[in-house]
Amino acid sequence: MRTLFDPIQIGDIALANRIVMAPLTRNRAIAGNVAGPLTVEYYRQRASAGLIIAEASQISPMAQGYLDTPGIHSAEQIAGWRQVTDAVHAAGGKIVLQLWHVGRISHTSLLPDGAAPVSSTARKAEAMTFTSQGFIPVSTPRALADDEIPGLIADYRRAAGNAIAAGFDGVEVHAANTYLIEQFLRDSVNDRRGPYGGSIANRARLLGEVMQAVAGEIGAGRTGVRLSPMTTFTAPLDSNPQALYGHVVEQLAPLGLAYLHVIEGETGGTRTPDGKPFDYDALHRAFPGPWMVNNGYSQRLAEQAVADGTADLVAFGRPFISNPDLVRRLRDGAPLNELQADKLYGGGAEGYIDYPALAD
Ligand code: PHB
């Protein structure tokens, strides 16, 4: 029987176990949106994860939506991340970077020259973001013109190359949580005409082109992707999530990706949104590669998913924040540390690198 503690090869990346650290926004980047020394220590402490998916990182200045999130578009950012990947590798871990464009979930004060955020639509989201003025409503976006899409795809491609230059083992394209790519996928947001709007195939075109570009740049075996079919976070669900995400997975299946990562239910919330069934298994059956699941997994649920083949890997978010040695604690059946929820976003070492590991 397969267990969480068995090794697995995902594409080009060999993992010591199937326990993954989920990407987690912590808003602790230093000047220039660079991963600093605290971030090096934070990830080093968590290197016993089979795989670390480092936090969502903006692919360009226009891709940022919150204060103090790291980027992967400048030389300083590449150098900062290099310290992180060196530390994780020295501790025996594997680490990929999540490539992020927030789309309309941003504010003019965070963007170059006070620019409006960009999206599939010019309609504003009902959402808040965190800026130097605190939590404030997001700004009204500008709809990207079709002839701007090649430049956007080039930003993803360049960011993927930068991630490899920074020493990452690969990247995860963030196509979840109602950020830019999902703002194209869903008909609840995307109100375009033309090649990137209307039909499911058209709405999924951007994701397909991004995946082709990223995989073309760094290799499909170093490229993963994250989806969240039933998350409402900053946008309503698609009118037919099963058909939309079924098409998306069909489109991704032939690419030979390192993995597909699916958030089940509402991100960070309920696994079974009221009266809204979704057949994740149907997606899994359509995808030939490693299948990673996430969202509110208990140890028992995770062990069961890997044992019965429902999943190849399980990503844990909040448990990895408060337990740097989560893998050992799960193996030993040791109790978990309590999460300090008021220290998730922003601040310094407290609630970041001071969670204790078990004593030897
Ligand atoms: C957040 O900053 O709240 C955030 C970032 C990335 C996600 C989800 C939430 O995918």
Side-chain angles (χ1 to χ4, degrees):
M1 200 171 68
R2 297 189 309 172
T3 82
L4 285 170
F5 308 100
D6 293 342
I8 184 172
Q9 181 81 25
I10 59 166
D12 296 347
I13 315 169
L15 308 186
N17 63 65
R18 289 131 183 275
I19 299 169
V20 176
M21 180 178 173
L24 295 154
T25 289
R26 305 302 309 275
N27 306 81
R28 282 166 167 88
I30 62 175
N33 296 320
V34 169
L38 292 180
T39 301
V40 174
E41 177 61 10
Y42 166 73
Y43 285 115
R44 190 198 62 74
Q45 290 173 348
R46 288 157 180 76
S48 59
L51 179 68
I52 293 171
I53 304 169
E55 66 209 78
S57 298
Q58 52 267 13
I59 60 167
S60 69
M62 279 302 294
Q64 183 174 1
Y66 304 87
L67 193 67
D68 297 336
T69 56
I72 187 65
H73 54 82
S74 76
E76 295 73 24
Q77 291 163 357
I78 294 171
W81 280 123
R82 169 56 81 171
Q83 303 298 312
V84 171
T85 61
D86 281 351
V88 169
H89 289 148
K94 297 287 163 72
I95 182 168
V96 299
L97 184 65
Q98 196 188 43
L99 300 186
W100 198 21
H101 194 309
V102 297
R104 66 179 182 163
I105 307 305
S106 188
H107 188 266
T108 54
S109 67
L110 293 164
L111 298 175
D113 306 316
V118 296
S119 183
S120 61
T121 179
R123 289 179 301 160
K124 190 165 111 88
E126 296 294 325
M128 310 285 275
T129 181
F130 189 75
T131 73
S132 53
Q133 299 118 69
F135 274 101
I136 56 172
V138 297
S139 302
T140 300
R142 173 177 76 76
L144 282 163
D146 289 341
D147 66 7
E148 293 178 278
I149 302 287
L152 173 65
I153 292 167
D155 288 342
Y156 276 97
R157 180 195 293 275
R158 200 174 311 112
N162 288 348
I164 298 303
F168 285 99
D169 296 292
V171 303
E172 174 177 284
V173 173
H174 193 345
N177 296 344
T178 60
Y179 292 114
L180 181 67
I181 290 175
E182 207 160 53
Q183 292 160 28
F184 275 81
L185 289 176
R186 293 190 184 180
D187 61 7
S188 59
V189 180
N190 184 334
D191 56 0
R192 308 172 70 82
R193 298 161 188 271
Y196 296 94
S199 66
I200 285 178
N202 281 1
R203 285 182 273 126
R205 188 180 311 281
L206 175 64
L207 173 58
E209 292 179 351
V210 167
M211 296 308 296
Q212 294 273 4
V214 169
E217 182 72 18
I218 68 168
R222 298 198 175 281
T223 304
V225 61
R226 195 179 203 207
L227 304 174
S228 59
M230 297 301 283
T231 286
T232 55
F233 197 32
T234 73
L237 296 179
D238 187 77
S239 63
N240 189 345
Q242 199 74 52
L244 171 61
Y245 292 90
H247 173 86
V248 163
V249 172
E250 219 171 273
Q251 174 178 246
L252 297 172
L255 299 182
L257 298 176
Y259 66 89
L260 195 153
H261 182 182
V262 64
I263 299 167
E264 297 167 338
E266 187 72 60
T267 306
T270 178
R271 295 180 44 74
T272 51
D274 243 7
K276 292 178 197 148
F278 188 89
D279 186 356
Y280 296 99
D281 242 22
L283 301 190
H284 187 183
R285 286 194 300 275
F287 188 76
W291 192 257
M292 185 189 299
V293 297
N294 169 243
N295 202 27
Y297 271 79
S298 63
Q299 177 164 9
R300 190 189 57 76
L301 209 55
E303 282 170 347
Q304 191 183 315
V306 167
D308 70 18
T310 311
D312 299 303
L313 307 118
V314 180
F316 294 87
R318 283 165 295 193
F320 254 118
I321 290 179
S322 53
N323 298 278
D325 54 349
L326 182 65
V327 171
R328 177 177 172 197
R329 288 176 192 248
L330 295 181
R331 185 185 287 123
D332 295 357
L336 302 186
N337 295 320
E338 198 83 37
L339 183 75
Q340 294 175 257
D342 62 329
K343 305 225 164 35
L344 289 177
Y345 304 111
E350 244 191 298
Y352 192 45
I353 58 165
D354 59 356
Y355 287 103
L358 292 171
D360 283 314

